[in-house]
Each structure stands twice: as C-alpha cells, then as structure tokens.
C-alpha cells in the first residue's frame, strides 16, 4: 500500500481489494482509501471516506461496500453507517442503535449483522465492552436490536457458516484479557451458544471459510450447528438463557 495503516477493514469487490481508512503512525484516523488490482499488482488511491475513522468494520452486499462504526479523531465510538462508492460520493444510511468500534460485521441471508466491540463509557470517559448485537435490513434502511453477546469480543474474528454467525476470540476491554471463547448466533432462535474454546486466547485476528475437498475430510468430526444443540433443562449451562419462540433475547 502507499500508506501505512492499521485497524482498518479490507474488502473485495468486482475484482479489486479496498483498504478503507484506519490508523497510521502519523495520524490517529485516516480517511484515505486505496484499491489493489491483482492483475497489475498495483495500488491506487480512491475517493476518500467522508470522515477519518479507525477501528471500523466493512462488508460487501449487493455490489456495495458498507461501513459501520469506528472511532473518530477524538477517540469517540461512532454509530454511523455509510455505503461507500469508489467512483462517487458516499451514501449516509440509518445509524446503528449503539455506537461501537473494534466490532465484527458479517452478511447473512441478505442482511448485515454487527456485534461486540467497544463503546464509550457513559459519564466516565474511556472505553468499555460493547455487548449489543444488531441487524440491518437494506430494503427498510433500519436496524433491529438482537440478543446481546454473553461475553465480550473486541477485535475478534468472525465468519458465517451454515446460516449461523460465529465470533471467535478477541479480548475484554473491561478486564484487558484476551479470550479463547467461540460463540455462535442462530438467527432463527435469536440466541448465542457457547461452542467451546480455541487452543489459545487470541485478539486482533481474522477468520474465513475454506472449502476442503472431501478426500481430505475423511475421519474429521463435523461442526455442529447451534440450531441442532439440545437445550438442557438447566438453562444455566448455556451462556444465555434458553428462549422460547416468543422471547426476543
């Protein structure tokens, strides 16, 4: 890249990689955007973001780049959401119901999910863990609050598999400790399930889904779906209370 940057999201759209904003050694928050073309192995500048930001998240949906949250130049967490267009002005969309930075953001069944991260500590200053989870519907330009995370996940990894949202690792800002927990969100039941732990506690990591040929999968255990998990009589064995179909969280 032409600019050093950290705490930025990168997305792939129409054959190009886009590096969006972030932080550098010289500037806490950047508004610059760069585009990488694999065929020519070159980076080029693109239209900047409307405001400098770092610690934000981004995803691609229906041919557009969506960006949520992040921290501004005064270190305050944001609730904004924009649709970024490399060849035109950005489109400001409905803001999230909660401010957040260092959160996860994924597309699942045509909607955008955000969860975890940091929030501004009300009345005290500084950051605190953000547990809130929300989903955005593009056709309605509206956010809906979902069941919150049972444990903090700041700058965690995330992925979508078999219609469910996975959040792995990260850390808790309240305790300054990394986590090795893995949580899975099931949209049909609006609940989070603890799927266990990673071998070690990690923060500031990424995850992806890799299709492995069947010849390499012989003898490997399958990954259980959270929707298939039996709900025990004692709901305390889960990180979140068992919910019937009439409960929201």
């Amino acid at each position: 890249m032409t600019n050093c940057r950290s705490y930025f999201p990168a997305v792939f759209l129409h054959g190009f990689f886009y590096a969006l904003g972030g932080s550098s050694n010289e500037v806490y928050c950047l508004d610059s955007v760069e585009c990488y073309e694999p065929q020519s192995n070159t980076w080029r500048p693109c239209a900047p973001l409307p405001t400098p930001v770092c610690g934000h998240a981004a995803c691609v949906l229906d041919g557009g780049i969506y960006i949520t949250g992040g921290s501004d130049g005064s270190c305050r967490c944001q609730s904004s959401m924009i649709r970024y267009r490399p060849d035109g002005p950005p489109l400001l969309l409905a803001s999230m119901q909660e401010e957040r930075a260092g959160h996860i953001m994924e597309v699942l069944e045509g909607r955008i999910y955000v969860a975890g991260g940091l929030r501004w500590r009300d009345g005290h200053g500084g950051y605190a863990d953000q547990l809130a989870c929300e989903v955005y519907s593009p056709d309605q330009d509206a956010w809906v609050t979902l069941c919150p995370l049972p444990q903090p996940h700041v700058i965690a990894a995330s992925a979508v598999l078999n219609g469910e949202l996975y959040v792995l690792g990260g850390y808790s800002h309240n305790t300054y400790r990394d986590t090795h927990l893995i949580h899975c969100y099931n949209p049909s039941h609006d609940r989070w399930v603890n799927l266990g732990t990673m071998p070690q506690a990690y923060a500031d990591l990424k995850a992806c889904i890799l299709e492995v040929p069947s010849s390499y999968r012989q003898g490997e255990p399958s990954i259980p779906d959270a929707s298939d998990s039996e709900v025990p009589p004692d709901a305390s064995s889960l990180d979140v209370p068992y919910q019937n179909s009439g409960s929201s969280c």
Side-chain angles (χ1 to χ4, degrees):
M1 290 182 286
T2 58
N3 288 326
C4 296
R5 64 184 75 219
S6 60
Y7 298 108
F8 69 96
V11 297
F12 183 76
L13 177 66
H14 301 323
F16 298 93
F17 291 93
Y18 291 89
L20 308 152
S23 182
S24 71
N25 293 332
E26 294 79 20
V27 182
Y28 178 65
C29 288
L30 299 169
D31 63 357
S32 62
V33 176
E34 297 183 62
C35 172
Y36 175 73
E37 184 179 12
Q39 290 186 345
S40 62
N41 190 30
T42 57
W43 288 90
R44 60 177 174 83
C46 296
L49 300 175
T51 57
V53 65
C54 66
H56 48 306
C59 67
V60 172
L61 175 63
D62 296 333
I65 299 175
Y66 291 81
I67 302 172
T68 58
S71 178
D72 63 11
S74 61
C75 301
R76 294 297 299 262
C77 295
Q78 303 297 300
S79 61
S80 60
M81 178 173 183
I82 64 170
R83 176 166 174 155
Y84 174 79
R85 293 180 287 187
D87 55 354
L91 178 63
L92 184 63
L93 301 172
S95 295
M96 297 180 290
Q97 298 187 21
E98 299 285 345
E99 62 182 29
R100 64 184 75 234
H103 55 291
I104 65 99
M105 181 177 180
E106 293 286 350
V107 174
L108 176 57
E109 296 180 350
R111 300 196 294 174
I112 296 174
Y113 288 78
V114 296
L118 298 169
R119 63 176 176 84
W120 191 252
R121 191 186 301 272
D122 297 333
H124 300 281
Y127 295 120
D129 292 325
Q130 173 65 274
L131 301 179
C133 178
E134 307 176 45
V135 61
Y136 174 79
S137 299
D139 55 343
Q140 300 176 358
D141 188 28
W143 291 90
V144 174
T145 300
L146 303 174
C147 182
L149 278 166
Q151 298 289 337
H153 287 276
V154 183
I155 53 175
S158 62
V160 171
L161 180 65
N162 297 329
E164 295 172 325
L165 173 62
Y166 290 77
V167 182
L168 308 92
Y171 80 98
S172 167
H173 192 80
N174 293 358
T175 63
Y176 291 101
R177 296 182 62 182
D178 292 349
T179 181
H180 55 353
L181 292 174
I182 303 172
H183 285 100
C184 178
Y185 177 77
N186 181 274
S188 300
H189 297 88
D190 186 28
R191 66 166 183 166
W192 291 92
V193 174
N194 184 349
L195 294 186
T197 62
M198 299 185 295
Q200 289 181 262
Y202 290 98
D204 200 5
L205 70 164
K206 296 296 181 182
C208 67
I209 301 301
L210 176 65
E211 292 288 342
V212 180
S214 58
S215 59
Y216 291 92
R217 297 200 302 262
Q218 295 179 0
E220 291 187 359
S222 59
I223 299 176
D225 291 343
S227 58
D228 296 334
S229 302
E230 294 185 1
V231 178
D234 180 8
S236 63
S237 62
L238 291 177
D239 278 346
V240 293
Y242 169 62
Q243 308 298 328
N244 59 32
S245 58
S247 300
S248 61
C249 179

